[in-house]
Amino acid sequence: MNFELPILAPSILAADFTKLGENIEDAIKGGVTWIHCDIMDGHFVPNISYGPGIVKAAKKAAPEAFFDVHLMIENPDDYVENFVEAGADLISVHYETCTHLHRSIQNIKKYGLMTGVVVNPATSLHNIEPVLADVDLVLIMSVNPGFGGQSFIESSYNKLSELAKMREEKELGFLIQVDGGVNLKNIKKVSESGADILVAGSSVFSAENITSRVEELIEKLR
């Protein structure tokens, strides 16, 4: 699948769930083509977010958008099929939750979806080197997962650059995504450090005018 990079991917975790469809439509009006869904189970991360039902409702609100589902959950293999049925186009799993990471990636691939692997701030990129050729996307967490609205961890800039260098040296084609603390002030630097897809939650959905905020963020990226 070809995408025009870089991409802004609003996380609906920060949306007003009483106006979820409306919030998503406002983001789409601003130029969004990619929606990020943060799934939390209260075990791997200290928070519970939502499940396949919300993803399905969000997909219904924006059937033309690309849906990127980030599983911050234990035993992700048990839930892949549910999120496939809900309308996911890409599913990412955490290195830290997958005992058999290669198997988990293959499990997503068998449904014909794009696959991603995620690393927490304290996890070294070298841990995922064995699967880099098998994934479509690598997601670098720039905050410790579990809550929206956290500040960007500064060392993530170096991690993004390191990953971009690894991709180039290995001549691989995976996309680089970053999630956590991306805002108007740092979005350009984050992109220049190597990120192709920038997840933003509060900085999009907490804005008074979501459409205008999306336009501003995309303008900074371009």
Side-chain angles (χ1 to χ4, degrees), residues 80-181:
V80 165
E81 192 171 355
N82 299 91
F83 287 101
V84 171
E85 288 169 0
D89 296 295
L90 178 150
I91 294 178
S92 299
V93 292
H94 271 259
Y95 161 81
E96 299 84 5
T97 65
C98 297
T99 313
H100 306 288
L101 183 56
H102 185 265
R103 184 186 293 161
S104 297
I105 289 163
Q106 297 308 317
N107 181 40
I108 298 165
K109 279 189 170 181
K110 78 180 183 193
Y111 293 101
L113 267 65
M114 288 176 69
T115 59
V117 64
V118 192
V119 286
N120 279 344
T123 300
S124 167
L125 291 173
H126 297 293
N127 290 319
I128 58 166
E129 270 193 86
V131 298
L132 289 179
D134 299 305
V135 295
D136 300 294
L137 175 143
V138 176
L139 168 49
I140 288 181
M141 290 303 299
S142 45
V143 296
N144 287 294
F147 297 97
Q150 298 182 71
S151 297
F152 188 88
I153 295 171
E154 293 290 309
S155 60
S156 307
Y157 291 119
N158 291 336
K159 204 169 186 180
L160 285 164
S161 302
E162 188 189 341
L163 182 58
K165 192 179 171 192
M166 283 166 80
R167 176 172 67 181
E168 193 181 342
E169 286 172 353
K170 294 176 185 293
E171 297 180 350
L172 295 171
F174 59 81
L175 295 164
I176 297 174
Q177 186 176 52
V178 67
D179 182 0

Side-chain angles (χ1 to χ4, degrees), residues 61-80:
E64 72 284 12
F66 183 89
F67 272 74
D68 149 33
V69 173
H70 171 197
L71 299 182
M72 289 178 259
I73 62 175
E74 290 178 2
N75 307 312
D77 295 353
D78 296 345
Y79 302 94
V80 165

